[in-house]
Amino acid sequence: MKRLLLSAALSLGSALAGGNEPGPVTQALPLDLGGQATHAELLRPDGNGVAPLVLLVQGTGPEDLNGSFQSYGGKVQGSLGTLAQTLARQGFAVMRFDKRYAAATFDPATAQAAQESYAKLTMKDLLADAGTALETAKKQPGINAQQVFIYGWSEGSVVAASLAQAVGAQGLIVQGPVVNAFADAFTRQFERVGLKYLEPYAPDGKIDLKGVVASLYGPGSALARTQGQFLLARDSTPQVPKLAAVLDTNGDGRIDLRAEALPMVRAFYAQSVTQSPLYTPATTLPTLGELAPRLKMPVLILQGENDGNIDPASAQQLNSALAAAGNTDHTLKLYPGLGHSLGPAKDLTLDNFAPMAQGPMNDMAAWLRARVR
């Protein structure tokens, strides 16, 4: 099914570009990111002219150049390769790259060490890596280095926004952007997705151990099914699951999702972000809400209404903040029925990072074309 979707997307991209024209030229590029050798690809339109450049920045974790990542259920395929093809067929050079340690996470023999190494990186490290990828692409033949656009997905929106501001980019595209503090964004996932997913297992809003265990294997997205883990004791195991006694304040064997679990989750994230190099204040980057007053460039905001990771209200908040700051070129695109990847999602508890729909990719291309000087 994914191959059929990819084929259809490329066929449509070719039709938009003019039908029988040759496809983009692919150039493999090595990168040194903090002493780690990684792989990048630059797609250029076929021809002898120079093209505007678009840098694609992935989301959370050690994702590869397509935005693919390793999960407990296997490899989740990203859509950035398809997006790059679509944009390149419409006249743009597109640079994408493996994040540090990404390749090693797909090999069981090296996955754990790679994940541990990635966990030591800071958000400033990720910004430096994206900057290296951008500067490498700008030096290649056929690139108009004065026409640079930056795209960032999810956590990558934070990196993309800081980089776009630093280099004076021609425009910024953010998909499912992180607008508020990281701890708030993570807590909202439990409020929006966790509570909705767990409520069927919680009569009268209270859940017992049997309900928690059942929720871990229920019909939800990977994010939804992990929310019940907050309700288990630290020494709980799959063989001997235990309810978190600290939340069962009256000892009746049930946890009130809103009165007991939600405050615990909020406190957990408030503390845990200070312990992560990515999110601790000394080494993180400002979120889009903080940066909005300084973003004077054109900004395109793309948001799925069934996004399980980012609240669509955050995208609307960013759009309003840009207007309040005097930005006269900001556009918000809301997509009913699409999730965090801008692929189909029937419900926010069923947002499984489906391949990106063609509509948002065409919208990006049209927005970019309108802003090329």
Side-chain angles (χ1 to χ4, degrees):
M1 178 60 73
K2 288 180 179 176
R3 290 180 181 175
L4 291 175
L5 288 171
L6 176 60
S7 177
L10 295 182
S11 296
L12 179 55
S14 178
L16 290 169
N20 296 321
E21 294 181 8
V25 176
T26 301
Q27 180 181 1
L29 293 169
L31 293 180
D32 183 326
L33 303 181
Q36 295 293 316
T38 61
H39 172 66
E41 282 189 358
L42 178 66
L43 268 65
R44 291 181 287 107
D46 185 71
N48 297 321
V50 295
L53 175 64
V54 182
L55 174 72
L56 305 184
V57 182
Q58 318 92 311
T60 304
E63 296 185 355
D64 71 9
L65 77 175
N66 292 322
S68 301
F69 59 92
Q70 188 68 25
S71 74
Y72 294 111
K75 185 176 183 179
V76 177
Q77 297 288 346
S79 297
L80 297 190
T82 309
L83 174 59
Q85 286 280 344
T86 297
L87 298 181
R89 289 178 182 274
Q90 299 196 45
F92 294 90
V94 186
M95 178 71 164
R96 66 198 204 285
F97 62 99
D98 286 350
K99 294 170 79 172
R100 290 194 217 182
Y101 311 109
T105 63
F106 298 107
D107 182 348
T110 56
Q112 182 174 347
Q115 291 283 357
E116 291 173 353
S117 295
Y118 186 88
K120 297 175 183 178
L121 297 178
T122 71
M123 201 67 76
K124 292 180 179 178
D125 290 330
L126 301 186
L127 175 61
D129 291 351
T132 296
L134 177 63
E135 291 306 313
T136 300
K138 288 167 63 176
K139 295 175 183 176
Q140 304 309 309
I143 300 302
N144 184 346
Q146 304 306 312
Q147 291 278 284
V148 172
F149 297 86
I150 314 291
Y151 158 98
W153 175 39
S154 191
E155 185 179 278
S157 67
V158 173
V159 176
S162 284
L163 181 60
Q165 184 188 28
V167 302
Q170 184 71 15
L172 170 68
I173 301 173
V174 290
Q175 174 184 329
V178 179
V179 177
N180 298 303
F182 287 104
D184 292 338
F186 297 141
T187 300
R188 283 295 289 158
Q189 290 178 359
F190 184 81
E191 289 180 308
R192 296 175 58 247
V193 179
L195 293 180
K196 181 176 181 180
Y197 176 72
L198 292 170
E199 281 171 353
Y201 303 94
D204 302 322
K206 297 182 179 181
I207 193 169
D208 60 13
L209 179 60
K210 182 179 179 181
V212 173
V213 173
S215 76
L216 300 178
Y217 304 96
S221 66
L223 175 65
R225 286 185 282 107
T226 59
Q227 299 303 296
Q229 293 179 0
F230 287 107
L231 312 180
L232 295 173
R234 289 188 176 183
D235 62 346
S236 181
T237 66
Q239 295 75 26
V240 186
K242 300 178 183 178
L243 208 62
V246 67
L247 296 180
D248 184 13
T249 55
N250 62 1
D252 68 348
R254 299 197 302 165
I255 295 173
D256 188 308
L257 291 177
R258 295 185 180 276
E260 296 175 319
L262 181 56
M264 182 275 291
V265 171
R266 185 176 291 114
F268 168 79
Y269 280 127
Q271 179 182 16
S272 64
V273 296
T274 64
Q275 300 171 351
S276 167
L278 284 174
Y279 310 124
T280 191
T283 52
T284 195
L285 296 172
T287 60
L288 273 292
E290 297 175 74
L291 273 182
R294 289 173 274 166
L295 293 175
K296 304 303 181 183
M297 68 196 68
V299 179
L300 174 61
I301 308 165
L302 307 168
Q303 179 67 54
E305 291 189 354
N306 286 347
D307 189 329
N309 287 64
I310 296 294
D311 190 343
S314 294
Q316 295 170 324
Q317 177 187 341
L318 173 59
N319 193 51
S320 296
L322 291 169
N327 187 316
T328 59
D329 189 353
H330 55 95
T331 304
L332 171 61
K333 293 277 189 180
L334 292 173
Y335 298 97
L338 300 188
H340 193 50
S341 62
L342 292 181
K346 293 181 179 180
D347 183 88
L348 57 86
T349 65
L350 298 170
D351 183 3
N352 279 308
F353 296 85
M356 187 184 295
Q358 189 67 40
M361 290 190 276
N362 291 341
D363 287 343
M364 281 186 250
W367 184 88
L368 287 163
R369 288 198 306 269
R371 282 154 186 83
V372 172
R373 289 195 294 258

